[in-house]
C-alpha cells in the first residue's frame, strides 16, 4: 500500500516527522524532584489528514521500565504559523498548548490543562515546550512547567537522533 500524501497544511512541520530516539539520555529536574535521566522514543507521523500524530514513551535508562507516556495531535491553523498541540498523558493530565512554528522551531505554551480527579499534588498549572531541529539534524525538546507550589521552571531537556523517516 502506498503511504498517504502529506496534507499541505502540515508541511511547515514536516521536519518533525519520523521515529526519534534520545541520544544521550534526556535530563529531568525540578525543585521538588531529584535530578533524573531517561530514555525516550518519539514517533511523529501523519495519515494524510491536516494533522500530525505523536507519541512519546520514556523509559528508565538502566532498567528500561516504562516511565512517562503521552500521545496526541499537532494541528496548524491553515495559512498561518499558529499551532495547537493536544496531549493526553498517563499521569492523568490532558492539555492543549498553542503557539507558533517558525522555520524549524516550534514554541508552544499551555492554553488549558485538565486532570483526573485523583491526580497527585502539586498540580501542574502551566507547561511550555520548544521543539527545534538543530544544525546536526537532531530534534531537541525542552519542557518547562509550573505547579501549584513552584513557578515556571525548566523540567526536561532531550535530544533525539532520527532512526526512521
Amino acid at each position: 500500500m502506498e503511504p498517504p500524501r502529506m496534507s499541505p497544511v502540515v508541511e511547515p512541520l514536516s521536519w518533525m516527522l519520523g521515529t526519534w530516539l534520545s541520544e544521550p539520555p534526556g535530563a529531568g529536574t525540578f525543585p521538588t524532584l531529584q535530578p533524573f535521566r531517561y530514555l525516550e522514543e518519539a514517533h511523529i507521523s501523519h495519515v494524510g489528514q491536516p494533522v500530525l500524530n505523536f507519541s512519546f514513551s520514556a523509559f528508565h535508562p538502566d532498567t528500561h521500565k516504562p516511565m512517562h507516556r503521552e500521545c496526541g495531535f499537532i494541528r496548524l491553523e491553515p495559512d498561518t504559523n499558529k499551532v495547537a498541540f493536544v496531549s493526553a498523558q498517563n499521569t492523568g493530565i490532558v492539555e492543549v498548548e498553542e503557539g507558533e512554528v517558525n522555520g524549524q522551531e516550534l514554541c508552544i505554551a499551555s492554553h488549558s490543562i485538565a486532570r483526573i480527579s485523583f491526580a497527585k499534588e502539586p498540580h501542574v498549572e502551566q507547561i511550555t515546550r520548544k521543539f527545534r531541529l538543530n544544525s546536526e539534524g537532531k530534534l531537541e525538546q525542552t519542557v518547562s512547567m509550573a505547579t501549584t507550589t513552584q513557578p515556571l521552571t525548566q523540567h526536561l531537556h532531550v535530544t533525539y537522533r532520527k532512526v526512521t523517516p
Side-chain angles (χ1 to χ4, degrees), residues 11-16 20 100-107 130-140 162:
E11 183 64 37
L13 295 172
S14 63
W15 54 272
M16 297 180 77
W20 304 82
E100 295 181 343
V101 59
N102 290 300
Q104 295 180 326
E105 184 172 281
L106 170 61
C107 295
K130 179 162 77 170
F131 293 92
R132 77 178 191 98
L133 193 64
N134 70 24
S135 60
E136 299 171 345
K138 294 185 176 185
L139 182 65
E140 294 182 40
K162 192 177 233 181

Side-chain angles (χ1 to χ4, degrees), residues 95-165:
E95 61 180 283
V96 174
E97 298 174 37
E98 294 185 356
E100 295 181 343
V101 59
N102 290 300
Q104 295 180 326
E105 184 172 281
L106 170 61
C107 295
I108 49 181
S110 52
H111 175 270
S112 58
I113 298 174
R115 71 188 55 80
I116 57 177
S117 63
F118 52 93
K120 71 179 191 175
E121 295 188 14
H123 291 155
V124 175
E125 292 191 323
Q126 182 183 9
I127 296 176
T128 66
R129 294 180 202 247
K130 179 162 77 170
F131 293 92
R132 77 178 191 98
L133 193 64
N134 70 24
S135 60
E136 299 171 345
K138 294 185 176 185
L139 182 65
E140 294 182 40
Q141 180 181 191
T142 303
V143 179
S144 297
M145 73 176 180
T147 67
T148 48
T149 62
Q150 297 295 322
L152 189 65
T153 304
Q154 183 173 313
H155 175 46
L156 304 170
H157 180 78
V158 62
T159 300
Y160 310 92
R161 69 175 169 83
K162 192 177 233 181
V163 293
T164 64

Side-chain angles (χ1 to χ4, degrees), residues 7 17 22 26 33 55 57 73 75 80 88 118 138 140 161:
S7 168
L17 290 172
S22 57
L33 298 172
S55 66
S57 300
F73 307 94
R75 300 184 60 102
T80 74
F118 52 93
K138 294 185 176 185
E140 294 182 40
R161 69 175 169 83

